[in-house]
Amino acid sequence: MRQVEKVIIVEGRSDKEKVAAVLNEPVVIICTNGTISDARLEELADELEGRDVYVLADADEAGEKLRRQFRRVFPEAGHIYIDRAYREVAAAPIWHLAHVLLRAHFDVRIESFMRGRGE
Protein backbone atom coordinates (compact mmCIF):
# COMPACT_ATOMS: atom_id res chain seq x y z
CA MET A 1 0.00 0.00 0.00
CA ARG A 2 1.41 3.36 -1.07
CA GLN A 3 1.71 6.09 1.55
CA VAL A 4 0.18 9.50 0.78
CA GLU A 5 3.08 11.91 0.42
CA LYS A 6 1.39 15.29 0.92
CA VAL A 7 0.14 16.51 4.27
CA ILE A 8 -1.73 19.72 5.04
CA ILE A 9 -1.95 21.00 8.61
CA VAL A 10 -5.06 23.08 9.36
CA GLU A 11 -6.45 24.63 12.53
CA GLY A 12 -10.10 23.57 12.69
CA ARG A 13 -12.47 20.83 11.62
CA SER A 14 -14.38 23.16 9.31
CA ASP A 15 -11.05 24.07 7.64
CA LYS A 16 -10.32 20.39 7.16
CA GLU A 17 -13.72 19.70 5.60
CA LYS A 18 -13.47 22.70 3.27
CA VAL A 19 -9.96 21.79 2.09
CA ALA A 20 -10.96 18.16 1.55
CA ALA A 21 -13.90 19.28 -0.61
CA VAL A 22 -11.58 21.28 -2.89
CA LEU A 23 -8.76 18.76 -3.34
CA ASN A 24 -8.70 16.33 -6.23
CA GLU A 25 -5.82 14.17 -5.02
CA PRO A 26 -5.12 12.06 -1.94
CA VAL A 27 -3.78 14.30 0.81
CA VAL A 28 -3.61 13.70 4.56
CA ILE A 29 -5.24 16.64 6.36
CA ILE A 30 -4.36 17.00 10.02
CA CYS A 31 -6.42 19.24 12.28
CA THR A 32 -4.70 20.87 15.27
CA ASN A 33 -7.95 22.15 16.79
CA GLY A 34 -6.39 25.62 17.05
CA THR A 35 -3.42 24.76 19.23
CA ILE A 36 -0.80 22.06 19.40
CA SER A 37 1.47 21.03 22.26
CA ASP A 38 5.22 20.71 21.83
CA ALA A 39 4.93 16.99 22.62
CA ARG A 40 2.34 16.45 19.87
CA LEU A 41 4.44 18.53 17.48
CA GLU A 42 7.43 16.27 18.11
CA GLU A 43 5.24 13.18 17.53
CA LEU A 44 4.12 14.65 14.23
CA ALA A 45 7.73 15.31 13.26
CA ASP A 46 8.44 11.58 13.61
CA GLU A 47 5.20 10.50 11.90
CA LEU A 48 5.59 12.86 8.94
CA GLU A 49 9.28 12.43 8.26
CA GLY A 50 9.95 12.28 4.54
CA ARG A 51 6.57 13.69 3.54
CA ASP A 52 5.70 17.02 1.97
CA VAL A 53 4.18 19.07 4.79
CA TYR A 54 2.18 22.26 4.25
CA VAL A 55 0.60 24.59 6.80
CA LEU A 56 -2.67 26.33 5.94
CA ALA A 57 -3.62 28.53 8.88
CA ASP A 58 -5.91 31.49 9.47
CA ALA A 59 -4.64 35.00 8.77
CA ASP A 60 -4.68 36.03 12.42
CA GLU A 61 -2.40 35.90 15.47
CA ALA A 62 -3.37 32.31 16.35
CA GLY A 63 -2.57 31.23 12.79
CA GLU A 64 0.80 33.00 12.91
CA LYS A 65 1.59 31.32 16.23
CA LEU A 66 0.84 27.92 14.68
CA ARG A 67 3.08 28.75 11.71
CA ARG A 68 5.95 29.72 14.05
CA GLN A 69 5.62 26.41 15.90
CA PHE A 70 5.74 24.44 12.66
CA ARG A 71 8.67 26.47 11.29
CA ARG A 72 10.68 25.42 14.33
CA VAL A 73 10.00 21.68 13.92
CA PHE A 74 9.35 21.54 10.15
CA PRO A 75 11.62 24.21 8.64
CA GLU A 76 11.10 22.70 5.20
CA ALA A 77 7.29 22.88 5.40
CA GLY A 78 5.45 24.93 2.82
CA HIS A 79 3.17 27.67 4.05
CA ILE A 80 -0.07 28.38 2.21
CA TYR A 81 -1.66 31.75 2.86
CA ILE A 82 -5.23 32.90 2.38
CA ASP A 83 -5.96 36.56 1.68
CA ARG A 84 -6.05 38.55 4.94
CA ALA A 85 -9.44 39.95 3.91
CA TYR A 86 -11.00 36.55 4.73
CA ARG A 87 -9.09 36.13 8.04
CA GLU A 88 -10.12 32.47 8.40
CA VAL A 89 -9.71 29.50 6.11
CA ALA A 90 -13.33 28.55 6.82
CA ALA A 91 -14.51 32.03 5.77
CA ALA A 92 -12.58 32.10 2.49
CA PRO A 93 -14.64 31.42 -0.63
CA ILE A 94 -14.16 27.97 -2.17
CA TRP A 95 -12.74 29.52 -5.37
CA HIS A 96 -10.09 31.43 -3.36
CA LEU A 97 -9.11 28.31 -1.43
CA ALA A 98 -8.84 26.38 -4.71
CA HIS A 99 -6.64 29.13 -6.14
CA VAL A 100 -4.16 29.16 -3.23
CA LEU A 101 -3.98 25.34 -3.20
CA LEU A 102 -3.41 25.23 -6.95
CA ARG A 103 -0.64 27.81 -6.58
CA ALA A 104 0.96 25.47 -4.01
CA HIS A 105 0.89 22.65 -6.64
CA PHE A 106 -2.12 20.73 -5.36
CA ASP A 107 -4.58 19.17 -7.77
CA VAL A 108 -7.97 20.81 -7.14
CA ARG A 109 -11.47 20.17 -8.42
CA ILE A 110 -12.09 22.49 -11.37
CA GLU A 111 -15.67 23.10 -10.27
CA SER A 112 -14.27 24.78 -7.13
CA PHE A 113 -13.42 27.78 -9.29
CA MET A 114 -17.02 28.17 -10.36
CA ARG A 115 -18.61 27.90 -6.91
CA GLY A 116 -19.37 31.22 -5.31
CA ARG A 117 -18.64 33.32 -8.40
CA GLY A 118 -22.15 33.27 -9.75
CA GLU A 119 -21.21 31.12 -12.77
Side-chain angles (χ1 to χ4, degrees):
M1 186 177 196
R2 193 164 166 245
Q3 179 177 333
V4 176
E5 295 299 318
K6 290 182 180 177
V7 177
I8 299 177
I9 309 293
V10 297
E11 291 180 85
R13 193 177 86 218
S14 59
D15 299 346
K16 180 178 180 174
E17 291 168 356
K18 197 165 195 178
V19 169
V22 171
L23 291 170
N24 196 33
E25 67 176 293
V27 176
V28 174
I29 305 170
I30 297 174
C31 180
T32 66
N33 295 311
T35 59
I36 191 165
S37 69
D38 287 339
R40 177 65 180 133
L41 203 52
E42 293 299 330
E43 286 174 19
L44 279 177
D46 291 338
E47 290 174 26
L48 303 178
E49 188 175 344
R51 289 166 141 191
D52 296 330
V53 177
Y54 298 84
V55 178
L56 176 58
D58 294 344
D60 60 11
E61 186 53 43
E64 285 306 312
K65 180 181 178 185
L66 184 68
R67 289 181 190 282
R68 284 191 300 271
Q69 285 180 288
F70 273 90
R71 276 190 193 104
R72 187 173 33 93
V73 177
F74 293 96
E76 70 287 347
H79 289 264
I80 304 169
Y81 294 86
I82 59 162
D83 190 300
R84 286 196 169 278
Y86 303 119
R87 290 192 46 86
E88 298 177 352
V89 173
I94 291 286
W95 63 264
H96 177 70
L97 189 56
H99 177 76
V100 298
L101 289 168
L102 186 63
R103 222 173 39 211
H105 308 288
F106 285 89
D107 186 18
V108 299
R109 298 179 196 281
I110 193 69
E111 61 270 16
S112 299
F113 287 103
M114 303 306 212
R115 291 176 63 198
R117 286 197 161 189
E119 298 171 13

